[in-house]
Amino acid sequence: MKKTIKRTFRVSKYVIYKETLVDYKEHFWSFLGAFFGIGLIAFIQSHQLLQAENVFLIGSFGASSVLIYGAIQSPLAQPRNLIGGHVLSAIVGVTVYKIVPDIIWLSAPLAVAFSIILMQYTKTLHPPGGATALIAVSSTGKIPELGYWYVISPVLSGCIILLIVALFFNNLTPNRSYPTHNRFIRLLRKKQTHRMKK
């Protein structure tokens, strides 16, 4: 147990140190990723979904962007956490809203608390997921009308857009690698270095 705590502390210290270094190139790629990720979702909402009155751009995507474009080494920013955290939290939020629709002082804390427990249990902890659950129970207008469609759109479809943009922008340079533990990315990097040596 003591060994695990020391290792976790070392890894956390390294991640925090690495993420807080002032590297203008890193800031540039973080900016581009966030700009295109959120921009693409906003574009789809403003041009494609106007007639359907769908809400495609939700606030929790802004918080996810901070993690997946700005803190890409964080365990909370990995694809499993991004998609799993949001989707599970959305399911919890909609379910709580259906059970306790008009008692906000009860539905809001229940949605957030259950979403945290479910994310912890499934190892998909993603802090913006709590906001996704809260949006499902506290919003007015179109989101409550969506019911479980809220899980598919905007939550799942928005997460997939953010993830695709993150996979592109976070792997453009040799200094950035996202996700951190991915065989595909390691294989791709190995092939690139092999070609450069020839």
Side-chain angles (χ1 to χ4, degrees):
M1 178 73 171
K2 202 173 187 181
K3 196 175 184 180
T4 306
I5 292 171
K6 282 184 180 180
R7 184 182 178 283
T8 305
F9 178 72
R10 263 194 342 268
V11 170
S12 300
K13 193 173 163 184
Y14 172 75
V15 168
I16 290 167
Y17 170 74
K18 192 169 180 183
E19 295 297 340
T20 55
L21 286 175
V22 178
D23 183 352
Y24 297 107
K25 291 177 187 172
E26 289 296 308
H27 299 310
F28 173 74
W29 293 114
S30 296
F31 173 83
L32 277 184
F35 181 84
F36 280 101
I38 294 295
L40 190 55
I41 294 172
F43 178 82
I44 291 169
Q45 176 172 316
S46 62
H47 288 86
Q48 305 298 322
L49 302 173
L50 216 65
Q51 294 159 351
E53 293 180 39
N54 197 350
V55 178
F56 200 56
L57 184 64
I58 56 174
S60 54
F61 288 160
S64 289
S65 295
V66 173
L67 287 169
I68 66 170
Y69 303 119
I72 63 174
Q73 301 297 317
S74 169
L76 304 176
Q78 301 312 302
R80 173 190 171 102
N81 299 71
L82 170 70
I83 293 178
H86 274 295
V87 168
L88 292 173
S89 296
I91 291 169
V92 168
V94 173
T95 304
V96 168
Y97 181 78
K98 287 189 175 293
I99 295 169
V100 192
D102 297 326
I103 311 170
I104 192 70
W105 61 266
L106 182 60
S107 62
L110 276 175
V112 174
F114 275 127
S115 69
I116 291 169
I117 297 303
L118 191 57
M119 286 188 288
Q120 286 176 329
Y121 184 75
T122 58
K123 294 181 176 30
T124 57
L125 194 62
H126 187 67
T132 298
L134 190 59
I135 289 166
V137 296
S138 65
S139 295
T140 57
K142 188 67 179 171
I143 288 180
E145 293 171 19
L146 290 172
Y148 285 104
W149 281 109
Y150 171 72
V151 178
I152 306 297
S153 177
V155 176
L156 178 60
S157 51
C159 286
I160 290 170
I161 290 170
L162 291 176
L163 178 60
I164 290 169
V165 173
L167 289 171
F168 179 75
F169 281 101
N170 290 340
N171 292 299
L172 278 177
T173 66
N175 298 338
R176 290 171 71 92
S177 177
Y178 179 83
T180 53
H181 302 293
N182 190 332
R183 292 179 188 165
F184 174 75
I185 298 298
R186 278 186 257 144
L187 182 66
L188 189 65
R189 297 241 185 252
K190 202 180 278 187
K191 284 185 179 179
Q192 284 177 344
T193 54
H194 182 65
R195 282 184 202 152
M196 289 179 173
K197 287 179 182 176
K198 286 184 176 180

